[in-house]
Amino acid sequence: MEYIVVDFEWNQSSYGKGTGKKKLPFEIIEIGAVKLDEDMHIVDTFDAVIHPKVYKKLHHMTRELTGITQEEIDHGALFTHTIVDFMLWCGDDYMFCTWGNMDLTELQRNMKFYRLDDLLPGPLKYYNVQKLFRILKDPQERQSCSLETAAHLLGIETDKAFHRAINDAKYTAQIFASMDMEAVKKLYSVDYYQNPQTKAQEIHLVYDTHSKYISREFSTKEEALADREVRTTRCYLCQKPAAKKIRWFLGRNKAYYCLAYCKEHGLIRGKIRFKKTDDDRIYVVKTIRLISQEQADEIQEMKKEVIQKRRQKRHKSSDSVC
């Protein structure tokens, strides 16, 4: 297997919020990629500037951040031609590596816009190097750092400008190559922009520290929460159902939480996030993990806060009627 370390730069509407296309909020204008073999040696690179067809005027923020000029994109290649060349260049046996979790989503969105998404069937298994750096290189830090910060922390020579696709891909490749691959292989991510369409396609992932479930699509949140698989809190270690201590409730950051107990492995936290497709359908990303008593107490406090806010809202409604 080879590793394709890829980075994209993209443009957006220059005419203010709400003026972009919903199905293509960001248009790729540059592709940079590095191909690594299994020994982490660079065997090839791919570098291309794209001529935009939707957002033809370069946004001032894009110009300032990347240094890309209007003249460069005016003379760039067509996305439809370039992406075919890129996919052929990737080959047949590879895994994407990116800095962060946005690049592959925007790649697939751009491909879908041009009806080329059949060239890259998903969901996509990949390595999020930014996440890996936080876990493996700086485990005490809870927040993800920038590519520039990570490169400096590792002492990587940074003589090329950041925020150009090929340069960022090369820096990301160097950071990736410095990691323990045995640890890396246990920490792959999944991009589910191309989310499951049927129950048979639903995704169940099990890691050392948690499990993740990605559902098929539903029409509404209520329909999703009525689904048995969505609601279940099966222990990811023994695969046995865990007894609910606190049922699912809407908590902080628009996420749903529950607290359960496995007789063999202890306290379990369930967390559900609802995601929207480009067609405004709903799907679920559910995470199940073991937690401490202190973390369980935090969930109980969150639940109390929710109940208290509901009571206050009811009182306000009653007062206004009176």
Side-chain angles (χ1 to χ4, degrees), residues 98-100 129-135 137-138 141 143-158 162 168 171-176 178-179:
T98 65
W99 188 264
V129 183
Q130 184 183 51
K131 175 182 173 182
L132 292 172
F133 180 83
R134 176 176 56 81
I135 295 172
K137 295 291 188 178
D138 198 8
E141 180 59 54
Q143 299 295 322
S144 296
C145 69
S146 68
L147 177 61
E148 186 171 1
T149 298
H152 289 160
L153 286 173
L154 292 181
I156 293 172
E157 185 177 350
T158 55
F162 285 90
D168 283 3
Y171 292 138
T172 303
Q174 290 182 72
I175 294 170
F176 183 65
S178 73
M179 295 177 175

PDB file of all heavy atoms in Angstrom, residues 98-100 129-135 137-138 141 143-158 162 168 171-176 178-179:
ATOM      1  N   THR A  98      -4.379  13.435   5.343  1.00  0.00           N
ATOM      2  CA  THR A  98      -4.639  14.863   5.249  1.00  0.00           C
ATOM      3  C   THR A  98      -4.334  15.537   6.582  1.00  0.00           C
ATOM      4  O   THR A  98      -4.290  14.884   7.622  1.00  0.00           O
ATOM      5  CB  THR A  98      -6.114  15.142   4.897  1.00  0.00           C
ATOM      6  OG1 THR A  98      -6.944  14.697   5.980  1.00  0.00           O
ATOM      7  CG2 THR A  98      -6.516  14.420   3.625  1.00  0.00           C
ATOM      8  N   TRP A  99      -4.163  16.858   6.536  1.00  0.00           N
ATOM      9  CA  TRP A  99      -4.025  17.630   7.769  1.00  0.00           C
ATOM     10  C   TRP A  99      -5.413  18.180   8.096  1.00  0.00           C
ATOM     11  O   TRP A  99      -5.869  19.147   7.508  1.00  0.00           O
ATOM     12  CB  TRP A  99      -3.015  18.760   7.604  1.00  0.00           C
ATOM     13  CG  TRP A  99      -2.741  19.435   8.921  1.00  0.00           C
ATOM     14  CD1 TRP A  99      -3.320  20.574   9.406  1.00  0.00           C
ATOM     15  CD2 TRP A  99      -1.840  18.968   9.944  1.00  0.00           C
ATOM     16  NE1 TRP A  99      -2.836  20.846  10.664  1.00  0.00           N
ATOM     17  CE2 TRP A  99      -1.923  19.886  11.017  1.00  0.00           C
ATOM     18  CE3 TRP A  99      -0.982  17.873  10.055  1.00  0.00           C
ATOM     19  CZ2 TRP A  99      -1.169  19.742  12.179  1.00  0.00           C
ATOM     20  CZ3 TRP A  99      -0.234  17.733  11.212  1.00  0.00           C
ATOM     21  CH2 TRP A  99      -0.334  18.660  12.258  1.00  0.00           C
ATOM     22  N   GLY A 100      -6.099  17.521   9.026  1.00  0.00           N
ATOM     23  CA  GLY A 100      -7.457  17.924   9.363  1.00  0.00           C
ATOM     24  C   GLY A 100      -8.483  17.061   8.657  1.00  0.00           C
ATOM     25  O   GLY A 100      -8.155  16.104   7.947  1.00  0.00           O
ATOM     26  N   VAL A 129      -3.739  13.399   9.891  1.00  0.00           N
ATOM     27  CA  VAL A 129      -2.408  13.582  10.472  1.00  0.00           C
ATOM     28  C   VAL A 129      -2.433  14.611  11.594  1.00  0.00           C
ATOM     29  O   VAL A 129      -1.688  14.500  12.570  1.00  0.00           O
ATOM     30  CB  VAL A 129      -1.383  13.960   9.381  1.00  0.00           C
ATOM     31  CG1 VAL A 129       0.022  14.082   9.970  1.00  0.00           C
ATOM     32  CG2 VAL A 129      -1.387  12.916   8.263  1.00  0.00           C
ATOM     33  N   GLN A 130      -3.300  15.601  11.493  1.00  0.00           N
ATOM     34  CA  GLN A 130      -3.434  16.579  12.572  1.00  0.00           C
ATOM     35  C   GLN A 130      -3.896  15.898  13.860  1.00  0.00           C
ATOM     36  O   GLN A 130      -3.353  16.133  14.936  1.00  0.00           O
ATOM     37  CB  GLN A 130      -4.431  17.666  12.170  1.00  0.00           C
ATOM     38  CG  GLN A 130      -4.563  18.778  13.197  1.00  0.00           C
ATOM     39  CD  GLN A 130      -5.609  19.796  12.796  1.00  0.00           C
ATOM     40  OE1 GLN A 130      -6.736  19.462  12.467  1.00  0.00           O
ATOM     41  NE2 GLN A 130      -5.234  21.069  12.810  1.00  0.00           N
ATOM     42  N   LYS A 131      -4.875  15.042  13.751  1.00  0.00           N
ATOM     43  CA  LYS A 131      -5.378  14.288  14.903  1.00  0.00           C
ATOM     44  C   LYS A 131      -4.303  13.334  15.435  1.00  0.00           C
ATOM     45  O   LYS A 131      -4.094  13.232  16.646  1.00  0.00           O
ATOM     46  CB  LYS A 131      -6.626  13.511  14.488  1.00  0.00           C
ATOM     47  CG  LYS A 131      -7.198  12.578  15.538  1.00  0.00           C
ATOM     48  CD  LYS A 131      -8.403  11.843  14.967  1.00  0.00           C
ATOM     49  CE  LYS A 131      -8.914  10.773  15.912  1.00  0.00           C
ATOM     50  NZ  LYS A 131     -10.052  10.018  15.328  1.00  0.00           N
ATOM     51  N   LEU A 132      -3.599  12.666  14.531  1.00  0.00           N
ATOM     52  CA  LEU A 132      -2.545  11.740  14.935  1.00  0.00           C
ATOM     53  C   LEU A 132      -1.424  12.465  15.669  1.00  0.00           C
ATOM     54  O   LEU A 132      -0.876  11.950  16.642  1.00  0.00           O
ATOM     55  CB  LEU A 132      -1.982  11.023  13.708  1.00  0.00           C
ATOM     56  CG  LEU A 132      -2.924  10.042  12.997  1.00  0.00           C
ATOM     57  CD1 LEU A 132      -2.309   9.563  11.681  1.00  0.00           C
ATOM     58  CD2 LEU A 132      -3.250   8.856  13.888  1.00  0.00           C
ATOM     59  N   PHE A 133      -1.090  13.657  15.200  1.00  0.00           N
ATOM     60  CA  PHE A 133      -0.039  14.434  15.856  1.00  0.00           C
ATOM     61  C   PHE A 133      -0.444  14.754  17.290  1.00  0.00           C
ATOM     62  O   PHE A 133       0.372  14.641  18.215  1.00  0.00           O
ATOM     63  CB  PHE A 133       0.238  15.722  15.080  1.00  0.00           C
ATOM     64  CG  PHE A 133       1.311  16.575  15.695  1.00  0.00           C
ATOM     65  CD1 PHE A 133       2.650  16.315  15.449  1.00  0.00           C
ATOM     66  CD2 PHE A 133       0.988  17.628  16.541  1.00  0.00           C
ATOM     67  CE1 PHE A 133       3.650  17.082  16.032  1.00  0.00           C
ATOM     68  CE2 PHE A 133       1.971  18.404  17.130  1.00  0.00           C
ATOM     69  CZ  PHE A 133       3.311  18.133  16.878  1.00  0.00           C
ATOM     70  N   ARG A 134      -1.696  15.159  17.476  1.00  0.00           N
ATOM     71  CA  ARG A 134      -2.161  15.487  18.822  1.00  0.00           C
ATOM     72  C   ARG A 134      -2.119  14.271  19.735  1.00  0.00           C
ATOM     73  O   ARG A 134      -1.704  14.363  20.897  1.00  0.00           O
ATOM     74  CB  ARG A 134      -3.588  16.043  18.758  1.00  0.00           C
ATOM     75  CG  ARG A 134      -4.205  16.331  20.131  1.00  0.00           C
ATOM     76  CD  ARG A 134      -5.585  16.965  19.997  1.00  0.00           C
ATOM     77  NE  ARG A 134      -6.489  16.159  19.206  1.00  0.00           N
ATOM     78  CZ  ARG A 134      -7.151  15.113  19.666  1.00  0.00           C
ATOM     79  NH1 ARG A 134      -6.977  14.712  20.916  1.00  0.00           N
ATOM     80  NH2 ARG A 134      -7.979  14.444  18.895  1.00  0.00           N
ATOM     81  N   ILE A 135      -2.515  13.114  19.226  1.00  0.00           N
ATOM     82  CA  ILE A 135      -2.583  11.903  20.045  1.00  0.00           C
ATOM     83  C   ILE A 135      -1.204  11.306  20.315  1.00  0.00           C
ATOM     84  O   ILE A 135      -0.874  10.930  21.445  1.00  0.00           O
ATOM     85  CB  ILE A 135      -3.479  10.852  19.370  1.00  0.00           C
ATOM     86  CG1 ILE A 135      -4.930  11.360  19.314  1.00  0.00           C
ATOM     87  CG2 ILE A 135      -3.417   9.514  20.115  1.00  0.00           C
ATOM     88  CD1 ILE A 135      -5.845  10.468  18.502  1.00  0.00           C
ATOM     89  N   LYS A 137       2.061  12.629  19.300  1.00  0.00           N
ATOM     90  CA  LYS A 137       3.226  13.496  19.499  1.00  0.00           C
ATOM     91  C   LYS A 137       3.055  14.490  20.639  1.00  0.00           C
ATOM     92  O   LYS A 137       4.033  14.921  21.248  1.00  0.00           O
ATOM     93  CB  LYS A 137       3.524  14.257  18.202  1.00  0.00           C
ATOM     94  CG  LYS A 137       3.948  13.379  17.028  1.00  0.00           C
ATOM     95  CD  LYS A 137       5.314  12.771  17.247  1.00  0.00           C
ATOM     96  CE  LYS A 137       5.812  12.052  15.995  1.00  0.00           C
ATOM     97  NZ  LYS A 137       7.163  11.485  16.186  1.00  0.00           N
ATOM     98  N   ASP A 138       1.822  14.861  20.920  1.00  0.00           N
ATOM     99  CA  ASP A 138       1.585  15.873  21.957  1.00  0.00           C
ATOM    100  C   ASP A 138       0.337  15.495  22.758  1.00  0.00           C
ATOM    101  O   ASP A 138      -0.661  16.219  22.764  1.00  0.00           O
ATOM    102  CB  ASP A 138       1.394  17.247  21.286  1.00  0.00           C
ATOM    103  CG  ASP A 138       1.577  18.395  22.262  1.00  0.00           C
ATOM    104  OD1 ASP A 138       1.998  18.136  23.405  1.00  0.00           O
ATOM    105  OD2 ASP A 138       1.292  19.542  21.889  1.00  0.00           O
ATOM    106  N   GLU A 141      -1.806  17.828  25.045  1.00  0.00           N
ATOM    107  CA  GLU A 141      -2.533  18.941  24.449  1.00  0.00           C
ATOM    108  C   GLU A 141      -3.879  18.451  23.910  1.00  0.00           C
ATOM    109  O   GLU A 141      -3.925  17.547  23.091  1.00  0.00           O
ATOM    110  CB  GLU A 141      -1.709  19.561  23.307  1.00  0.00           C
ATOM    111  CG  GLU A 141      -2.392  20.728  22.612  1.00  0.00           C
ATOM    112  CD  GLU A 141      -2.706  21.862  23.551  1.00  0.00           C
ATOM    113  OE1 GLU A 141      -1.778  22.347  24.234  1.00  0.00           O
ATOM    114  OE2 GLU A 141      -3.892  22.243  23.625  1.00  0.00           O
ATOM    115  N   GLN A 143      -6.203  20.439  22.341  1.00  0.00           N
ATOM    116  CA  GLN A 143      -6.593  21.144  21.131  1.00  0.00           C
ATOM    117  C   GLN A 143      -5.635  20.806  19.985  1.00  0.00           C
ATOM    118  O   GLN A 143      -4.435  20.671  20.186  1.00  0.00           O
ATOM    119  CB  GLN A 143      -6.587  22.659  21.373  1.00  0.00           C
ATOM    120  CG  GLN A 143      -7.548  23.122  22.461  1.00  0.00           C
ATOM    121  CD  GLN A 143      -8.994  22.875  22.098  1.00  0.00           C
ATOM    122  OE1 GLN A 143      -9.395  23.020  20.946  1.00  0.00           O
ATOM    123  NE2 GLN A 143      -9.796  22.488  23.076  1.00  0.00           N
ATOM    124  N   SER A 144      -6.180  20.686  18.784  1.00  0.00           N
ATOM    125  CA  SER A 144      -5.353  20.431  17.608  1.00  0.00           C
ATOM    126  C   SER A 144      -4.569  21.690  17.253  1.00  0.00           C
ATOM    127  O   SER A 144      -5.070  22.803  17.376  1.00  0.00           O
ATOM    128  CB  SER A 144      -6.231  20.013  16.427  1.00  0.00           C
ATOM    129  OG  SER A 144      -6.884  18.795  16.690  1.00  0.00           O
ATOM    130  N   CYS A 145      -3.335  21.500  16.802  1.00  0.00           N
ATOM    131  CA  CYS A 145      -2.505  22.648  16.442  1.00  0.00           C
ATOM    132  C   CYS A 145      -2.427  22.803  14.927  1.00  0.00           C
ATOM    133  O   CYS A 145      -2.841  21.933  14.165  1.00  0.00           O
ATOM    134  CB  CYS A 145      -1.111  22.508  17.041  1.00  0.00           C
ATOM    135  SG  CYS A 145      -0.118  21.190  16.319  1.00  0.00           S
ATOM    136  N   SER A 146      -1.889  23.915  14.495  1.00  0.00           N
ATOM    137  CA  SER A 146      -1.758  24.181  13.064  1.00  0.00           C
ATOM    138  C   SER A 146      -0.609  23.364  12.482  1.00  0.00           C
ATOM    139  O   SER A 146       0.279  22.888  13.202  1.00  0.00           O
ATOM    140  CB  SER A 146      -1.499  25.666  12.824  1.00  0.00           C
ATOM    141  OG  SER A 146      -0.208  26.021  13.305  1.00  0.00           O
ATOM    142  N   LEU A 147      -0.608  23.248  11.165  1.00  0.00           N
ATOM    143  CA  LEU A 147       0.468  22.534  10.474  1.00  0.00           C
ATOM    144  C   LEU A 147       1.797  23.240  10.721  1.00  0.00           C
ATOM    145  O   LEU A 147       2.820  22.586  10.964  1.00  0.00           O
ATOM    146  CB  LEU A 147       0.169  22.481   8.972  1.00  0.00           C
ATOM    147  CG  LEU A 147       1.225  21.833   8.078  1.00  0.00           C
ATOM    148  CD1 LEU A 147       1.452  20.375   8.461  1.00  0.00           C
ATOM    149  CD2 LEU A 147       0.820  21.945   6.608  1.00  0.00           C
ATOM    150  N   GLU A 148       1.793  24.547  10.689  1.00  0.00           N
ATOM    151  CA  GLU A 148       3.032  25.308  10.910  1.00  0.00           C
ATOM    152  C   GLU A 148       3.586  25.066  12.304  1.00  0.00           C
ATOM    153  O   GLU A 148       4.800  24.844  12.468  1.00  0.00           O
ATOM    154  CB  GLU A 148       2.754  26.802  10.698  1.00  0.00           C
ATOM    155  CG  GLU A 148       3.995  27.667  10.750  1.00  0.00           C
ATOM    156  CD  GLU A 148       3.731  29.098  10.329  1.00  0.00           C
ATOM    157  OE1 GLU A 148       2.569  29.427  10.020  1.00  0.00           O
ATOM    158  OE2 GLU A 148       4.697  29.893  10.313  1.00  0.00           O
ATOM    159  N   THR A 149       2.721  25.060  13.314  1.00  0.00           N
ATOM    160  CA  THR A 149       3.163  24.811  14.685  1.00  0.00           C
ATOM    161  C   THR A 149       3.751  23.408  14.824  1.00  0.00           C
ATOM    162  O   THR A 149       4.805  23.219  15.442  1.00  0.00           O
ATOM    163  CB  THR A 149       1.991  24.982  15.664  1.00  0.00           C
ATOM    164  OG1 THR A 149       1.524  26.334  15.604  1.00  0.00           O
ATOM    165  CG2 THR A 149       2.411  24.659  17.090  1.00  0.00           C
ATOM    166  N   ALA A 150       3.078  22.416  14.253  1.00  0.00           N
ATOM    167  CA  ALA A 150       3.547  21.030  14.338  1.00  0.00           C
ATOM    168  C   ALA A 150       4.915  20.871  13.669  1.00  0.00           C
ATOM    169  O   ALA A 150       5.805  20.204  14.203  1.00  0.00           O
ATOM    170  CB  ALA A 150       2.538  20.097  13.692  1.00  0.00           C
ATOM    171  N   ALA A 151       5.085  21.498  12.507  1.00  0.00           N
ATOM    172  CA  ALA A 151       6.360  21.412  11.795  1.00  0.00           C
ATOM    173  C   ALA A 151       7.488  22.021  12.628  1.00  0.00           C
ATOM    174  O   ALA A 151       8.588  21.452  12.724  1.00  0.00           O
ATOM    175  CB  ALA A 151       6.256  22.115  10.445  1.00  0.00           C
ATOM    176  N   HIS A 152       7.211  23.146  13.262  1.00  0.00           N
ATOM    177  CA  HIS A 152       8.227  23.800  14.088  1.00  0.00           C
ATOM    178  C   HIS A 152       8.547  22.965  15.324  1.00  0.00           C
ATOM    179  O   HIS A 152       9.709  22.869  15.729  1.00  0.00           O
ATOM    180  CB  HIS A 152       7.748  25.193  14.487  1.00  0.00           C
ATOM    181  CG  HIS A 152       7.725  26.162  13.355  1.00  0.00           C
ATOM    182  ND1 HIS A 152       6.984  27.324  13.360  1.00  0.00           N
ATOM    183  CD2 HIS A 152       8.346  26.129  12.141  1.00  0.00           C
ATOM    184  CE1 HIS A 152       7.166  27.972  12.228  1.00  0.00           C
ATOM    185  NE2 HIS A 152       7.989  27.265  11.467  1.00  0.00           N
ATOM    186  N   LEU A 153       7.526  22.357  15.934  1.00  0.00           N
ATOM    187  CA  LEU A 153       7.753  21.517  17.116  1.00  0.00           C
ATOM    188  C   LEU A 153       8.643  20.320  16.796  1.00  0.00           C
ATOM    189  O   LEU A 153       9.405  19.857  17.649  1.00  0.00           O
ATOM    190  CB  LEU A 153       6.417  21.036  17.681  1.00  0.00           C
ATOM    191  CG  LEU A 153       5.576  22.076  18.430  1.00  0.00           C
ATOM    192  CD1 LEU A 153       4.209  21.511  18.788  1.00  0.00           C
ATOM    193  CD2 LEU A 153       6.299  22.545  19.695  1.00  0.00           C
ATOM    194  N   LEU A 154       8.555  19.824  15.568  1.00  0.00           N
ATOM    195  CA  LEU A 154       9.368  18.675  15.158  1.00  0.00           C
ATOM    196  C   LEU A 154      10.707  19.091  14.554  1.00  0.00           C
ATOM    197  O   LEU A 154      11.506  18.233  14.170  1.00  0.00           O
ATOM    198  CB  LEU A 154       8.588  17.812  14.158  1.00  0.00           C
ATOM    199  CG  LEU A 154       7.363  17.072  14.695  1.00  0.00           C
ATOM    200  CD1 LEU A 154       6.711  16.236  13.582  1.00  0.00           C
ATOM    201  CD2 LEU A 154       7.730  16.170  15.866  1.00  0.00           C
ATOM    202  N   GLY A 155      10.943  20.379  14.456  1.00  0.00           N
ATOM    203  CA  GLY A 155      12.209  20.850  13.905  1.00  0.00           C
ATOM    204  C   GLY A 155      12.327  20.672  12.406  1.00  0.00           C
ATOM    205  O   GLY A 155      13.443  20.593  11.858  1.00  0.00           O
ATOM    206  N   ILE A 156      11.214  20.630  11.707  1.00  0.00           N
ATOM    207  CA  ILE A 156      11.226  20.478  10.249  1.00  0.00           C
ATOM    208  C   ILE A 156      11.590  21.811   9.601  1.00  0.00           C
ATOM    209  O   ILE A 156      11.065  22.859   9.983  1.00  0.00           O
ATOM    210  CB  ILE A 156       9.849  19.993   9.751  1.00  0.00           C
ATOM    211  CG1 ILE A 156       9.587  18.568  10.243  1.00  0.00           C
ATOM    212  CG2 ILE A 156       9.752  20.055   8.227  1.00  0.00           C
ATOM    213  CD1 ILE A 156       8.188  18.057   9.968  1.00  0.00           C
ATOM    214  N   GLU A 157      12.480  21.784   8.637  1.00  0.00           N
ATOM    215  CA  GLU A 157      12.863  22.998   7.929  1.00  0.00           C
ATOM    216  C   GLU A 157      11.674  23.504   7.114  1.00  0.00           C
ATOM    217  O   GLU A 157      11.089  22.761   6.320  1.00  0.00           O
ATOM    218  CB  GLU A 157      14.056  22.725   7.007  1.00  0.00           C
ATOM    219  CG  GLU A 157      14.587  23.978   6.330  1.00  0.00           C
ATOM    220  CD  GLU A 157      15.810  23.702   5.468  1.00  0.00           C
ATOM    221  OE1 GLU A 157      16.354  22.581   5.558  1.00  0.00           O
ATOM    222  OE2 GLU A 157      16.198  24.606   4.706  1.00  0.00           O
ATOM    223  N   THR A 158      11.318  24.770   7.313  1.00  0.00           N
ATOM    224  CA  THR A 158      10.133  25.322   6.651  1.00  0.00           C
ATOM    225  C   THR A 158      10.525  26.502   5.768  1.00  0.00           C
ATOM    226  O   THR A 158      10.125  27.651   6.006  1.00  0.00           O
ATOM    227  CB  THR A 158       9.084  25.754   7.696  1.00  0.00           C
ATOM    228  OG1 THR A 158       9.698  26.677   8.623  1.00  0.00           O
ATOM    229  CG2 THR A 158       8.561  24.573   8.472  1.00  0.00           C
ATOM    230  N   PHE A 162       3.828  28.329   3.703  1.00  0.00           N
ATOM    231  CA  PHE A 162       2.662  27.528   4.059  1.00  0.00           C
ATOM    232  C   PHE A 162       1.449  28.012   3.246  1.00  0.00           C
ATOM    233  O   PHE A 162       1.458  29.105   2.689  1.00  0.00           O
ATOM    234  CB  PHE A 162       2.368  27.634   5.556  1.00  0.00           C
ATOM    235  CG  PHE A 162       3.322  26.841   6.409  1.00  0.00           C
ATOM    236  CD1 PHE A 162       4.490  27.416   6.892  1.00  0.00           C
ATOM    237  CD2 PHE A 162       3.055  25.511   6.723  1.00  0.00           C
ATOM    238  CE1 PHE A 162       5.374  26.689   7.678  1.00  0.00           C
ATOM    239  CE2 PHE A 162       3.937  24.768   7.507  1.00  0.00           C
ATOM    240  CZ  PHE A 162       5.104  25.360   7.982  1.00  0.00           C
ATOM    241  N   ASP A 168       2.285  22.377   1.719  1.00  0.00           N
ATOM    242  CA  ASP A 168       1.608  21.820   2.887  1.00  0.00           C
ATOM    243  C   ASP A 168       1.576  20.301   2.831  1.00  0.00           C
ATOM    244  O   ASP A 168       1.700  19.621   3.858  1.00  0.00           O
ATOM    245  CB  ASP A 168       0.184  22.375   2.983  1.00  0.00           C
ATOM    246  CG  ASP A 168       0.153  23.803   3.513  1.00  0.00           C
ATOM    247  OD1 ASP A 168       1.240  24.367   3.755  1.00  0.00           O
ATOM    248  OD2 ASP A 168      -0.943  24.357   3.684  1.00  0.00           O
ATOM    249  N   TYR A 171       5.042  19.104   3.947  1.00  0.00           N
ATOM    250  CA  TYR A 171       5.216  19.226   5.396  1.00  0.00           C
ATOM    251  C   TYR A 171       4.408  18.153   6.132  1.00  0.00           C
ATOM    252  O   TYR A 171       4.889  17.539   7.088  1.00  0.00           O
ATOM    253  CB  TYR A 171       4.791  20.616   5.872  1.00  0.00           C
ATOM    254  CG  TYR A 171       5.693  21.737   5.399  1.00  0.00           C
ATOM    255  CD1 TYR A 171       5.153  22.942   4.944  1.00  0.00           C
ATOM    256  CD2 TYR A 171       7.080  21.607   5.436  1.00  0.00           C
ATOM    257  CE1 TYR A 171       5.976  23.976   4.518  1.00  0.00           C
ATOM    258  CE2 TYR A 171       7.913  22.633   5.006  1.00  0.00           C
ATOM    259  CZ  TYR A 171       7.360  23.818   4.541  1.00  0.00           C
ATOM    260  OH  TYR A 171       8.177  24.837   4.127  1.00  0.00           O
ATOM    261  N   THR A 172       3.180  17.948   5.674  1.00  0.00           N
ATOM    262  CA  THR A 172       2.328  16.925   6.298  1.00  0.00           C
ATOM    263  C   THR A 172       2.952  15.543   6.138  1.00  0.00           C
ATOM    264  O   THR A 172       2.927  14.722   7.065  1.00  0.00           O
ATOM    265  CB  THR A 172       0.919  16.942   5.683  1.00  0.00           C
ATOM    266  OG1 THR A 172       0.347  18.249   5.824  1.00  0.00           O
ATOM    267  CG2 THR A 172       0.002  15.930   6.360  1.00  0.00           C
ATOM    268  N   ALA A 173       3.533  15.288   4.969  1.00  0.00           N
ATOM    269  CA  ALA A 173       4.177  13.995   4.716  1.00  0.00           C
ATOM    270  C   ALA A 173       5.356  13.772   5.657  1.00  0.00           C
ATOM    271  O   ALA A 173       5.554  12.656   6.166  1.00  0.00           O
ATOM    272  CB  ALA A 173       4.637  13.915   3.260  1.00  0.00           C
ATOM    273  N   GLN A 174       6.133  14.809   5.915  1.00  0.00           N
ATOM    274  CA  GLN A 174       7.268  14.674   6.825  1.00  0.00           C
ATOM    275  C   GLN A 174       6.802  14.374   8.250  1.00  0.00           C
ATOM    276  O   GLN A 174       7.397  13.559   8.961  1.00  0.00           O
ATOM    277  CB  GLN A 174       8.105  15.948   6.809  1.00  0.00           C
ATOM    278  CG  GLN A 174       8.871  16.177   5.514  1.00  0.00           C
ATOM    279  CD  GLN A 174       9.718  17.439   5.570  1.00  0.00           C
ATOM    280  OE1 GLN A 174      10.738  17.500   6.261  1.00  0.00           O
ATOM    281  NE2 GLN A 174       9.290  18.465   4.857  1.00  0.00           N
ATOM    282  N   ILE A 175       5.732  15.036   8.667  1.00  0.00           N
ATOM    283  CA  ILE A 175       5.192  14.784  10.007  1.00  0.00           C
ATOM    284  C   ILE A 175       4.653  13.365  10.095  1.00  0.00           C
ATOM    285  O   ILE A 175       4.919  12.640  11.066  1.00  0.00           O
ATOM    286  CB  ILE A 175       4.085  15.810  10.327  1.00  0.00           C
ATOM    287  CG1 ILE A 175       4.689  17.218  10.424  1.00  0.00           C
ATOM    288  CG2 ILE A 175       3.365  15.444  11.628  1.00  0.00           C
ATOM    289  CD1 ILE A 175       3.668  18.326  10.498  1.00  0.00           C
ATOM    290  N   PHE A 176       3.930  12.945   9.074  1.00  0.00           N
ATOM    291  CA  PHE A 176       3.365  11.590   9.039  1.00  0.00           C
ATOM    292  C   PHE A 176       4.472  10.545   9.076  1.00  0.00           C
ATOM    293  O   PHE A 176       4.379   9.535   9.788  1.00  0.00           O
ATOM    294  CB  PHE A 176       2.503  11.433   7.791  1.00  0.00           C
ATOM    295  CG  PHE A 176       1.805  10.107   7.680  1.00  0.00           C
ATOM    296  CD1 PHE A 176       0.827   9.728   8.590  1.00  0.00           C
ATOM    297  CD2 PHE A 176       2.119   9.222   6.650  1.00  0.00           C
ATOM    298  CE1 PHE A 176       0.176   8.500   8.483  1.00  0.00           C
ATOM    299  CE2 PHE A 176       1.475   8.004   6.536  1.00  0.00           C
ATOM    300  CZ  PHE A 176       0.508   7.636   7.461  1.00  0.00           C
ATOM    301  N   SER A 178       7.245  10.641  10.454  1.00  0.00           N
ATOM    302  CA  SER A 178       7.942  10.587  11.731  1.00  0.00           C
ATOM    303  C   SER A 178       7.207   9.751  12.781  1.00  0.00           C
ATOM    304  O   SER A 178       7.727   9.537  13.876  1.00  0.00           O
ATOM    305  CB  SER A 178       8.138  12.011  12.277  1.00  0.00           C
ATOM    306  OG  SER A 178       6.910  12.550  12.743  1.00  0.00           O
ATOM    307  N   MET A 179       6.023   9.256  12.443  1.00  0.00           N
ATOM    308  CA  MET A 179       5.176   8.600  13.433  1.00  0.00           C
ATOM    309  C   MET A 179       5.378   7.089  13.491  1.00  0.00           C
ATOM    310  O   MET A 179       5.862   6.473  12.529  1.00  0.00           O
ATOM    311  CB  MET A 179       3.702   8.912  13.133  1.00  0.00           C
ATOM    312  CG  MET A 179       3.359  10.368  13.287  1.00  0.00           C
ATOM    313  SD  MET A 179       1.644  10.736  12.857  1.00  0.00           S
ATOM    314  CE  MET A 179       1.568  12.488  13.295  1.00  0.00           C
TER     315      MET A 179
END
